[in-house]
Amino acid sequence: MSITPFKVRNPLHKAMPHAKITVQVHITESELDILTRKLELARLPHNPSNEQWGENNGVTVKLISETVDFWRNKYNWREEEAHINRLPQFKTPIDIDSFGTLDIHFVHSKSPEANAIPLLFLHGWPGSFLEVEKILPELNKAGFDVVAPSLPGYGFSSYTDKAGFKHEHHAKVVHRLMQRLGYQAYVVQGGDWGSYIARCTAILFPDEVKALHVNMVVMPKPDFAKEPEYTDFEKACHKRGEWFSNEESAYSLIQGSKPRTLGFAMHDSPVGMLAWMADKLVLWSDSYPWTPTELITWTLMYYFPGPTTGFLMYRENLAKENMRDGVSARYFVKVPTGVSAFPKELLLMPRTWAETRAKVVFWQEHGSGGHFAAYERPKELVDDVARFCKSVWNA
C-alpha cells in the first residue's frame, strides 16, 4: 500500500521541477486507521515473563506488551507529526547516473551567523533524519547551516528500481543536493552507514568537501610492520567490536541476503517492526533511557514508508567484494578527518588504523555514549564537530 507522506506547501513546485519544495509529513487518516486496527489485532506471545532462554537485549514480552499497550492507548501520532514538522523540511528531485530521478527529502536549517559553514549530516540504519533533531539548534548556534537528508530509500526519500545502488551513488546524490542548495564547499558528518557515505563523498569530491567527521570507524586491520601500542580505551572498543561481530550481527546477514522477504513481514506488522527496532536501539546505545514514544516514532519512520529499501542498503553494500574493493575501501581520504570516539560504538577501530586510511587530524575520546551519538550525546558531538570543522575550514 502506498501512502502520501507530504503536504506540499509551495503551489509553484510543478512549474519549478528542480526547486526546493517546502513539505510537511502528513500520514493519511486511512493509513492511521489501518495501523490502529493492526495494533488492536496484534497477537503477542505469552511466554513466562522470567524465562531464562530469552535474548539478552531487554526486548522482553513485558517490554513489547507494555509498549504496544502504550501505543494503543496513549501514543498520539498527530502530536508526534506536529513535533516532526517543526523541523524545516523540503524535497527536491536529484538525477543520478543511470538510476533515474530520485525525490530526496531533507531538513535544511540555516545559522543566523554570517559566513556559516555548510554541514551535511548523514544518518544510517536504524536511524533516520530525526537523528539531527537534538543537535540542529546547537549546530545553528555554533555557526553551521545544516542539511540532513533522508538517504535514498529511507524515510521519505524515494529509491531506484535498479540494482547496484552503492554507497558512492548515495554520495553523489547528497553531493548534488548540496550543490542544488548553492553550497560549493561544505563539511560532512556521518555515523553508521552515514560514515561510509560521508567517506565516499570526501573521496569523490575532495575539492568541495573541506572536512570529514565521523563517529564510527570500520576497516580491516592494516598490515603493520610493528604492532602499535593500544590504549585501554581502544582495547575496550575492540572488545565491544568483537562482541558485536560475533554475537549481534546476524540481523545484517538477513537484511543483506533477504531484504525483500523480511520487508514483507515488517511492512505488514507494526509490532514486528517495533521488536526488530527495539533490539537495536537498546543494545546499540549506552544505557540510553528510550521512552515508549521514542521507540514507536523511530519504528514508524520505517513502518509508514516501508522498511524494505532501507534493508536493501545491506544487500547492495555488505558483499565482501564491495567492502574490499568499493570506493570507501580503495582510496585514502585526503581531506582533514575528525573522529568522535564513543565507548559503546559498535565498530570503532584504533586511531593508528584509521590513520592508514584517512588524514586524521582530530580524535576525541568520550567517557560514555553509544551508536546513536547525535541522539545520545548531542552536546559532546556538537562540541567536537564545531572545534574540528572550524579549525580546518579556513586553514
Side-chain angles (χ1 to χ4, degrees):
M1 176 178 292
S2 62
I3 61 173
T4 304
F6 294 124
K7 284 183 176 178
V8 178
R9 302 191 63 186
N10 184 345
L12 301 178
H13 73 280
K14 291 183 179 179
M16 300 183 295
H18 293 93
K20 183 180 81 168
I21 305 163
T22 302
V23 297
Q24 289 188 329
V25 176
H26 178 74
I27 305 301
T28 63
E29 284 296 331
S30 60
E31 187 71 19
L32 293 178
D33 289 343
I34 292 171
L35 174 60
T36 297
R37 294 200 298 272
K38 284 183 176 291
L39 292 172
E40 289 172 350
L41 297 172
R43 179 173 173 262
L44 299 175
H46 298 287
N47 300 319
S49 60
N50 61 344
E51 77 277 1
Q52 297 179 7
W53 42 259
E55 300 107 30
N56 187 27
N57 61 358
V59 184
T60 60
V61 172
K62 182 175 185 293
L63 173 69
I64 298 301
S65 297
E66 290 179 352
T67 305
V68 171
D69 182 68
F70 179 89
W71 201 345
R72 289 166 173 161
N73 299 302
K74 296 181 180 179
Y75 182 82
N76 188 319
W77 166 253
R78 289 297 183 215
E79 289 182 359
E80 283 295 289
E81 192 176 67
H83 181 80
I84 293 169
N85 284 333
R86 291 205 294 263
L87 295 171
Q89 296 168 77
F90 307 87
K91 73 171 183 176
T92 192
I94 300 289
D95 296 326
I96 179 66
D97 300 341
S98 61
F99 295 97
T101 300
L102 304 180
D103 285 329
I104 301 301
H105 164 259
F106 61 99
V107 171
H108 185 199
S109 182
K110 292 187 175 183
S111 172
E113 293 193 13
N115 302 315
I117 299 173
L119 183 146
L120 173 63
F121 175 85
L122 300 176
H123 69 82
W125 189 94
S128 70
F129 73 97
L130 292 183
E131 288 186 75
V132 81
E133 179 183 11
K134 293 183 180 181
I135 62 174
L136 187 62
E138 297 307 314
L139 284 172
N140 286 159
K141 289 178 185 177
F144 292 91
D145 285 355
V146 180
V147 179
S150 294
L151 293 174
Y154 286 75
F156 304 118
S157 287
S158 66
Y159 193 72
T160 180
D161 60 358
K162 297 178 175 63
F165 199 77
K166 307 294 185 184
H167 286 148
E168 54 262 40
H169 301 111
H170 285 267
K172 290 178 181 180
V173 168
V174 296
H175 175 68
R176 290 173 188 176
L177 172 62
M178 295 301 281
Q179 291 185 312
R180 175 73 52 80
L181 297 175
Y183 297 126
Q184 298 307 312
Y186 59 94
V187 299
V188 58
Q189 199 288 325
D192 194 83
W193 283 132
S195 69
Y196 287 84
I197 297 166
R199 180 180 169 86
C200 285
T201 307
I203 291 169
L204 293 172
F205 309 104
D207 293 335
E208 292 86 359
V209 177
K210 301 302 181 182
L212 165 68
H213 184 276
V214 297
N215 49 279
M216 188 171 82
V217 178
V218 185
M219 56 180 291
K221 184 178 180 180
D223 293 326
F224 290 112
K226 181 181 178 181
E227 189 72 13
E229 294 287 334
Y230 301 118
T231 67
D232 290 342
F233 181 92
E234 290 173 329
K235 291 176 182 177
C237 288
H238 179 71
K239 186 175 181 180
R240 170 84 166 169
E242 285 189 326
W243 163 80
F244 173 72
S245 298
N246 295 332
E247 300 182 30
E248 297 297 333
S249 60
Y251 80 96
S252 66
L253 297 178
I254 188 170
Q255 291 184 182
S257 61
K258 303 292 182 182
R260 184 173 58 188
T261 303
L262 179 65
F264 282 121
M266 297 300 175
H267 192 102
D268 187 59
S269 174
V271 176
M273 192 76 240
L274 169 67
W276 196 248
M277 292 287 289
D279 171 73
K280 318 310 180 280
L281 298 181
V282 171
L283 282 177
W284 296 5
S285 56
D286 188 5
S287 302
Y288 180 81
W290 295 97
T291 67
T293 293
E294 288 173 323
L295 291 176
I296 295 165
T297 298
W298 278 51
T299 295
L300 289 174
M301 288 299 100
Y302 286 90
Y303 173 78
F304 278 143
T308 302
T309 50
F311 295 159
L312 192 60
M313 179 81 85
Y314 290 79
R315 183 179 178 88
E316 294 286 15
N317 292 280
L318 267 186
K320 290 183 179 179
E321 59 270 21
N322 186 68
M323 301 300 284
R324 182 185 66 241
D325 300 326
V327 168
S328 180
R330 282 186 290 141
Y331 298 100
F332 185 87
V333 176
K334 297 179 181 179
V335 306
T337 300
V339 176
S340 290
F342 294 92
K344 294 298 183 180
E345 179 54 85
L346 302 175
L347 295 167
L348 184 66
M349 307 314 173
R351 178 169 184 166
T352 50
W353 295 23
E355 288 173 338
T356 69
R357 302 285 293 276
K359 183 182 176 182
V360 179
V361 298
F362 177 94
W363 186 283
Q364 181 63 56
E365 296 175 359
H366 294 276
S368 61
H371 186 62
F372 308 100
Y375 209 76
E376 297 178 61
R377 296 292 183 270
K379 182 181 184 304
E380 290 90 334
L381 186 66
V382 169
D383 288 347
D384 287 357
V385 168
R387 282 195 296 128
F388 163 62
C389 291
K390 290 183 177 182
S391 71
V392 300
W393 180 250
N394 293 315

